[in-house]
Amino acid sequence: CVANLGRNPVAPGGRPARELYGPGAHIDTLASFDVSVVFGLSGRLTVTLSQAGAMLRVFDSSTAGNFPAAQRRPMSEADVAAWVRALADGMVLCVSLWRSDSMDWLDGGCAPHCDLDSTSVRIGRFRIEEIPPPPPPPPSAPP
């Protein structure tokens, strides 16, 4: 979901993408940062990065993608339905550790471009919490 962040010169909010995420950016990837992922049973999905009071939503299923504003669109109904089924079936956390100047690793390997010896990751404060249901609607006014 963050693979496209920075691919376009301007992010959906209008800021230059290179200022948002990466070394020395709003979310400085050279320092620790928090990742919050919220899965809604309705199919709503958000991914937010935070660091020292700075926050950056990198994915929101209601405006999926990292496109210029004219091309942003929500996830399709079919994708949302597939997502809801997957949530109902159970989920597994998968983490991929890689470092490369290209996305070649997605094609089954990245040698000689990957340099895992200089890459590290630390996962801390991991927790799973239930999202409380929304409050009931207020009672109707008497007629």
Side-chain angles (χ1 to χ4, degrees):
C1 297
V2 296
N4 286 325
L5 195 61
R7 185 170 291 184
N8 294 303
V10 178
R15 287 182 65 185
R18 70 180 173 276
E19 294 177 6
L20 297 175
Y21 177 84
H26 180 70
I27 300 295
D28 185 352
T29 56
L30 297 177
S32 295
F33 58 93
D34 294 324
V35 180
S36 171
V37 181
V38 177
F39 305 104
L41 293 178
S42 66
R44 178 78 190 259
L45 168 66
T46 60
V47 179
T48 304
L49 308 180
S50 60
Q51 179 183 63
M55 294 183 71
L56 174 64
R57 181 163 289 170
V58 293
F59 184 84
D60 184 328
S61 58
S62 67
T63 56
N66 180 33
F67 301 101
Q71 296 175 344
R72 285 197 321 257
R73 63 201 178 282
M75 288 174 62
S76 72
E77 287 183 29
D79 289 343
V80 170
W83 177 248
V84 170
R85 284 190 306 274
L87 282 173
D89 289 343
M91 304 292 282
V92 174
L93 172 67
C94 296
V95 178
S96 175
L97 174 63
W98 60 277
R99 178 181 174 176
S100 176
D101 292 332
S102 71
M103 299 294 281
D104 293 345
W105 64 275
L106 288 171
D107 295 326
C110 59
H113 306 293
C114 292
D115 179 11
L116 294 180
D117 291 334
S118 66
T119 303
S120 65
V121 66
R122 188 188 84 186
I123 298 175
R125 298 185 306 186
F126 181 83
R127 66 183 185 263
I128 297 174
E129 300 175 320
E130 270 198 52
I131 301 171
S140 301

